[in-house]
């Protein structure tokens, strides 16, 4: 049996709740309910499918990710979008070298597939029409939303009707104080 897996950073519940307000607005005002099914997160490795019999290999590879880096802050600042055929509306994280470093460490253990890294926290996608995307962007690009959170772990999730964490890995480095 094939299952879907992915690796992500999850913010604290307070930010998940704040982001859900935006997702609910998109569902109510822009006919976009799909994003409500997933909690707010930043994807480090997009969903991939594997036979459940290979799950132990996935868990081993996940545990081999080098997370010996200090926990770091991510600042979420404003909204953006991917205006492609299947548009995406998201909250934009500020450019962050530790986040890029963490992504590269994940990629070292999960080398299959070609994918680019455009960190974002999705609030609208899948059933968001291009017309509604344009309307939502007009509204959201002028809104302010800024918050930050500490990244101190990554999660490996498996899809079981909804995404369920099956493993976590703490960031274990220490900050160097002068």
């Amino acid at each position: 049996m094939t299952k879907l897996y992915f690796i992500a950073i999850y913010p604290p519940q307070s930010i998940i709740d704040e982001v859900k307000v935006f997702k609910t607005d998109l569902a109510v005002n822009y006919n976009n309910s799909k994003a409500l099914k997933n909690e707010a997160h930043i994807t480090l490795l997009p969903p991939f499918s594997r036979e459940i019999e290979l799950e132990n290999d996935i868990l081993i590879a996940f545990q081999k990710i080098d997370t010996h880096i200090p926990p770091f802050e991510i600042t979420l600042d404003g909204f953006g979008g991917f205006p492609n055929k299947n548009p995406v509306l998201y909250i934009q994280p500020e450019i962050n070298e530790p986040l890029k470093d963490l992504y590269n460490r994940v990629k070292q253990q999960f080398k299959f597939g070609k994918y680019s890294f455009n960190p974002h926290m999705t609030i609208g996608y899948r059933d968001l029409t291009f017309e509604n995307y344009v309307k939502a962007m007009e509204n959201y690009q002028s809104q302010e939303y800024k918050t930050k959170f500490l990244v101190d772990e990554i999660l490996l999730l498996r899809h079981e009707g909804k995404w369920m964490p099956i493993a976590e890995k703490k960031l274990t480095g220490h900050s160097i104080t002068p």
Side-chain angles (χ1 to χ4, degrees), residues 87-115:
V88 176
L89 187 64
Y90 57 80
I91 298 171
Q92 178 70 55
E94 289 182 354
I95 302 299
N96 184 314
E97 286 307 315
L99 178 58
K100 288 180 190 173
D101 181 31
L102 183 57
Y103 160 75
N104 285 322
R105 291 165 183 250
V106 169
K107 205 167 100 172
Q108 285 173 357
Q109 293 301 323
F110 291 87
K111 296 177 182 170
F112 53 83
K114 294 198 184 273
Y115 48 89

Side-chain angles (χ1 to χ4, degrees), residues 156-172:
L156 173 64
L157 299 102
R158 180 179 60 221
H159 198 264
E160 297 289 345
K162 65 179 193 169
W163 290 105
M164 304 294 294
I166 59 169
E168 67 180 45
K169 189 127 198 253
K170 298 284 186 193
L171 303 188
T172 59

Side-chain angles (χ1 to χ4, degrees), residues 21-36:
V21 171
F22 302 124
K23 292 181 177 197
T24 302
D25 174 61
L26 284 162
V28 170
N29 296 310
Y30 302 97
N31 197 27
N32 176 233
S33 59
K34 294 283 187 200
L36 277 169

Side-chain angles (χ1 to χ4, degrees), residues 14-15 18-19 22 73-79 91-95 121 140 142-149:
S14 59
I15 292 176
E18 289 173 9
V19 170
F22 302 124
E73 277 192 343
I74 289 182
T75 299
L76 302 174
D77 189 7
F79 300 90
I91 298 171
Q92 178 70 55
E94 289 182 354
I95 302 299
M121 193 171 282
Y140 276 92
S142 63
Q143 279 194 45
E144 281 192 27
Y145 177 72
K146 189 166 186 173
T147 190
K148 59 186 172 182
F149 66 95

Side-chain angles (χ1 to χ4, degrees), residues 1-7 45-65 106 109-110 112 154-159 163 166-169:
M1 174 190 294
T2 301
K3 292 286 185 179
L4 281 173
Y5 300 87
F6 90 114
I7 298 173
L45 182 71
F48 62 94
S49 60
R50 289 290 182 272
E51 292 296 319
I52 190 102
E53 295 80 26
L54 300 176
E55 184 169 282
N56 199 45
D57 294 343
I58 296 166
L59 289 164
I60 290 168
F62 180 75
Q63 290 306 324
K64 285 183 178 177
I65 296 169
V106 169
Q109 293 301 323
F110 291 87
F112 53 83
I154 59 175
L155 297 175
L156 173 64
L157 299 102
R158 180 179 60 221
H159 198 264
W163 290 105
I166 59 169
E168 67 180 45
K169 189 127 198 253

